[in-house]
Amino acid sequence: MPDPTTRPAGIPGSGLTGPWPVGQYAAGLRERLRGLTRVQVFGEVWGFKGGRAKVYFELRDATGALPCSMWRRDWDALGLAALADGAQVVAAGGCDFYPGSRTSSPSFTFDVTDVRIAGEGDLLAQLERLRRTLHAEGLFAPQKELLRPALPRTIGVVCGETGKARDDVLAGLRRRGWGGRVVWAFAPVQDRHAASRITRALQDLAACPEVEVVIVARGGGSLADLFAFCDETLCRTVALLRIPVISSVGHHTDRTLLDDVAAVTASTPTHAAEAAVPVHCADAHAALRAGAVRLERQGRRAIVERARTLARLSRAPAEHVARHRARLHQQLRELRAAARRGVAERERATRGAAAALRRKGDAAALARTRGAVRARAGAAALDRGSSAALERRRRDLERLRLALAAHDPQRTLERGYALVEDAAGEPVTSAAAARAQPALTLRLHDGRLPVRPDPSAPRVP
Amino acid sequence: MAETDVALTYEAACERLEAIIARLDSGEAGLRETLELCQEGRRHVEFCAAELEAVGQGLEELRLDELVARLESGRAEAA
C-alpha cells in the first residue's frame, strides 16, 4: 500500500478529488461493480478454456462482448461438456473486478453462476454468409491467378512483433537456404484494432515495389482470436492486392476468410515461408551448375561431331575409289578362277562323254553281229514253217469245201425235192401256212413253178 | 529470348533453359540452331546465377518504415 504520507500533490487546476492510491480506488471499483444488479445475459461462447479453479470464456454478439469466468465447482455441477465456439448460451451472474497488485494485472470479468445452453450462435452463420458473398463476387480467385516468383528477392511479413510466428518464418526461410531481404510489418493480431492494422500493413507492403510476396502469419489460437482475419475490409483488400499473399493463420483446422482469399494457405508460418520460396536455393544452384555443364558439353559436342563428319566427308572420295578398285580386282580374280574351273569341268565332261560313246559303239557292233546271225536262223525257220503251213491250209480248205457242198439245197433239189416259197420268196414250211397263202411258188432244181392252193381240197394228215 | 529479357523471371529462365537442354539432347538441332541455343542458354544460366546470388548474400531484416525511408532517400538522391 502506498504510504498516505507520501501522497503526491494533485494536478494544479483540476477540480477532481484525489489523488487516491490506485489500489484503494481499484478496491472501491470492485465493490461498486459487485454492487451492480446481477442479471442474465445471452450471447455466443468463444474461446472456452478450463482451468483448475475457474473456467473462462467470452460471450459475444454483433455489438459487444463480455469476458466471463465461472468457478470450476459451479461449472462441474452443471454437468456440461466444454462449450464449442459459437454455442449460444444464457449466463446468469454479475460484474466482478480483480484489482490486481504490484505484481499482477487487474482484470474485469462477468462472474457467472449459472449457464443454460440456448442453441447454436449466429456469428459463425454470419461468417459463412460473408464467405459466400465474397466467393460470389469472385474475390477468392484474383490472388490465386497472380504469378508467384520462384525466387523472390524481398518478402514482406505481417505478424505480431513478439509472437513465435516471426521466428518460425525466419526458420522456414533459412531452411530454404534463402538469404534475401525480409521486410517486417508488425501489427497486433488479435485485438479489436488487429484487422485494420493488418490491412494497413498489407497495403503499405504492397506499395513497396521491391516486395514480391507477403506472408501473413499468426500462431494458433481460438477461432474467436482469429476473427480479425475474417474481417471483410481486410479480405477485400487482400483480394485486390498486386502481390500474392500467403496466409498462415491459426491451426490447420481453423479456416479464416483470409485463407479463402489468399493466394496460398499454409498450415504453419514455417510452411508459409517455404511456400514463399518454392525453390531450395542449394538445389537450384546444383541444378543450374548441371544445366550449364550440359549446355557446354552439348555445344562442344555439336561442333566436334560436325568437324569429324566434315573430315570423314573430305576423305570419302579417295576412299570410295580405292574401295571400288579393290572390289574390281577381287571380281577379276574371281572371274579368272571361275573360267579356269569351267574349262576344266567341261574337259572332264567331254572326256567322259567320249568314253561313253566308244563303249556304246562297241556294244552296237556286237549287237549288230548277233542280230545278223539271229536273222539268218529265223529266215530258215520261216521258210520251213511256211511251206508246211501252206499244205495244211490247202487240205483244210478242201475239207470245208466238201462239207459245204454236202449242205447245198441245190443238191437236195437235184435229188427230186422242191422248196415251197410265198410271194415274197420266203420258204413255207407247213401245210397250214401254205393254205393261208393266195399263191405259192415251187422251186425245183431247174426253175420255179407258180401254184395256187385249193382251199376246198380235203386236208390230208 | 533477348527481346523478352526485360520481363524475364527466374522461373521463366529455368523453364527456357530446360527446354533448350531438351532440344540439344534430342540431337535434332542443326549446327546454327545449336550455337544459337547455346548462346541463349548461357544468358539464362548467367541470369539465374545472378538471381541466386542475389538471395545468397545472407538474410537481411528490415522493418517496413526502414524500407520506406530507404526508398524515399533513394528517390531523393535520384532526383
Side-chain angles (χ1 to χ4, degrees):
Chain A
M1 289 287 290
D3 185 354
T5 59
T6 61
R7 176 181 301 181
I11 298 168
S14 171
L16 303 178
T17 62
W20 306 107
V22 68
Q24 187 183 344
Y25 184 81
L29 178 61
R30 178 177 62 185
E31 294 312 311
R32 194 68 168 272
L33 287 171
R34 284 181 173 175
L36 289 177
T37 308
R38 299 179 75 78
V39 295
Q40 296 183 51
V41 293
F42 70 93
E44 293 172 17
V45 172
W46 292 95
F48 183 92
K49 282 183 288 197
R52 260 195 317 193
K54 283 190 154 187
V55 296
Y56 302 90
F57 57 91
E58 282 183 15
L59 269 188
R60 292 185 176 191
D61 65 15
T63 57
L66 271 181
C68 300
S69 65
M70 188 173 185
W71 289 107
R72 183 87 213 189
R73 63 174 182 279
D74 293 341
W75 171 254
D76 290 343
L78 292 174
L80 296 174
L83 295 172
D85 283 350
Q88 178 116 11
V89 299
V90 177
C95 294
D96 198 0
F97 181 71
Y98 171 64
S101 68
R102 190 183 298 277
T103 56
S104 59
S105 299
S107 65
F108 168 81
T109 182
F110 186 79
D111 181 38
V112 179
T113 52
D114 200 2
V115 167
R116 185 181 74 79
I117 295 176
E120 294 294 323
D122 67 351
L123 278 181
L124 278 179
Q126 286 174 13
L127 197 62
E128 280 308 309
R129 276 198 295 277
L130 181 55
R131 177 172 277 137
R132 282 196 295 272
T133 304
L134 296 177
H135 188 243
E137 290 179 26
L139 293 178
F140 289 179
Q143 273 279 317
K144 292 168 184 69
E145 289 165 4
L146 292 175
L147 284 177
R148 282 191 298 130
L151 203 62
R153 292 188 181 196
T154 304
I155 298 173
V157 182
V158 179
C159 66
E161 187 163 7
T162 56
K164 189 171 174 295
R166 179 181 181 179
D167 296 334
D168 289 347
V169 168
L170 285 175
L173 292 175
R174 290 201 174 97
R175 196 187 289 180
R176 285 292 195 214
W178 185 83
R181 180 187 291 165
V182 178
V183 181
W184 300 106
F186 297 119
V189 288
Q190 69 179 46
D191 67 16
R192 62 195 175 91
H193 301 295
S196 60
R197 296 278 298 278
I198 293 166
T199 306
R200 179 68 186 276
L202 282 166
Q203 287 170 328
D204 290 346
L205 283 172
C208 298
E210 284 77 6
V211 177
E212 295 170 75
V213 59
V214 176
I215 298 170
V216 179
R218 186 198 189 282
S222 70
L223 189 52
D225 293 337
L226 305 181
F227 258 118
F229 298 92
C230 299
D231 181 76
E232 184 171 358
T233 307
L234 169 64
C235 292
R236 288 182 182 279
T237 302
V238 167
L240 301 176
L241 282 185
R242 68 163 182 90
I243 49 176
V245 172
I246 297 170
S247 162
S248 167
V249 177
H251 298 299
H252 65 279
T253 51
D254 304 322
R255 186 158 187 89
T256 65
L257 290 186
L258 179 65
D259 293 330
D260 290 326
V261 296
V264 180
T265 303
S267 56
T268 65
T270 310
H271 287 149
E274 291 177 346
V277 187
V279 171
H280 193 289
C281 295
D283 292 347
H285 261 300
L288 192 62
R289 273 196 298 276
V293 167
R294 285 174 73 183
L295 201 62
E296 290 304 319
R297 194 170 55 223
Q298 289 287 6
R300 201 164 43 245
R301 193 169 69 186
I303 292 172
V304 169
E305 277 184 359
R306 281 171 175 81
R308 281 181 188 150
T309 306
L310 208 58
R312 196 170 60 245
L313 289 175
S314 70
R315 288 193 304 270
E319 287 176 353
H320 191 68
V321 170
R323 202 162 50 246
H324 273 278
R325 182 177 288 133
R327 191 186 305 161
L328 206 59
H329 285 163
Q330 176 65 21
Q331 285 173 342
L332 194 60
R333 281 194 296 276
E334 287 175 4
L335 192 64
R336 283 173 180 162
R340 279 196 298 274
R341 273 199 309 276
V343 169
E345 279 175 9
R346 279 180 179 74
E347 195 177 343
R348 264 199 312 278
T350 308
R351 276 199 211 101
L357 212 55
R358 269 198 307 277
R359 282 196 303 276
K360 284 181 180 168
D362 294 347
L366 185 62
R368 192 167 57 245
T369 308
R370 286 178 181 162
V373 171
R374 268 201 307 275
R376 279 196 296 277
L382 202 59
D383 287 344
R384 284 194 303 276
S386 64
S387 56
L390 196 62
E391 185 57 30
R392 194 170 57 249
R393 285 191 174 84
R394 194 175 287 128
R395 282 197 303 273
D396 288 344
L397 190 63
E398 183 57 27
R399 187 169 38 83
L400 289 173
R401 191 187 61 79
L402 291 178
L404 187 64
H407 288 85
D408 186 358
Q410 191 65 33
R411 295 274 305 273
T412 307
L413 296 181
E414 283 173 0
R415 287 204 309 268
Y417 291 92
L419 183 65
V420 181
E421 294 175 339
D422 60 12
E426 293 296 320
V428 177
T429 58
S430 69
R435 272 190 215 99
Q437 295 292 328
L440 297 168
T441 302
L442 288 181
R443 185 175 165 190
L444 302 172
H445 80 279
D446 56 351
R448 285 180 169 79
L449 178 66
V451 294
R452 193 171 298 271
D454 182 6
S456 62
R459 294 188 180 190
V460 181
Chain B
M1 284 298 288
E3 64 276 11
T4 61
D5 277 357
V6 177
L8 192 61
T9 60
Y10 175 82
E11 52 270 39
C14 282
E15 197 175 326
R16 178 64 188 151
L17 196 54
E18 283 175 13
I20 286 172
I21 289 173
R23 173 73 181 155
L24 291 175
D25 282 347
S26 74
E28 292 170 357
L31 181 60
R32 180 172 296 278
E33 187 189 355
T34 300
L35 295 178
E36 285 172 358
L37 287 175
C38 285
Q39 199 173 3
E40 186 191 341
R42 277 188 211 104
R43 280 205 309 276
H44 292 308
V45 168
E46 284 167 13
F47 174 81
C48 290
E51 289 292 300
L52 281 170
E53 186 67 21
V55 297
Q57 300 298 317
L59 210 142
E60 179 193 7
E61 295 185 61
L62 276 182
R63 294 176 76 103
L64 178 58
D65 46 3
E66 292 170 336
L67 177 64
V68 171
R70 194 183 286 188
L71 290 173
E72 283 175 353
S73 68
R75 283 196 199 105
E77 282 172 16

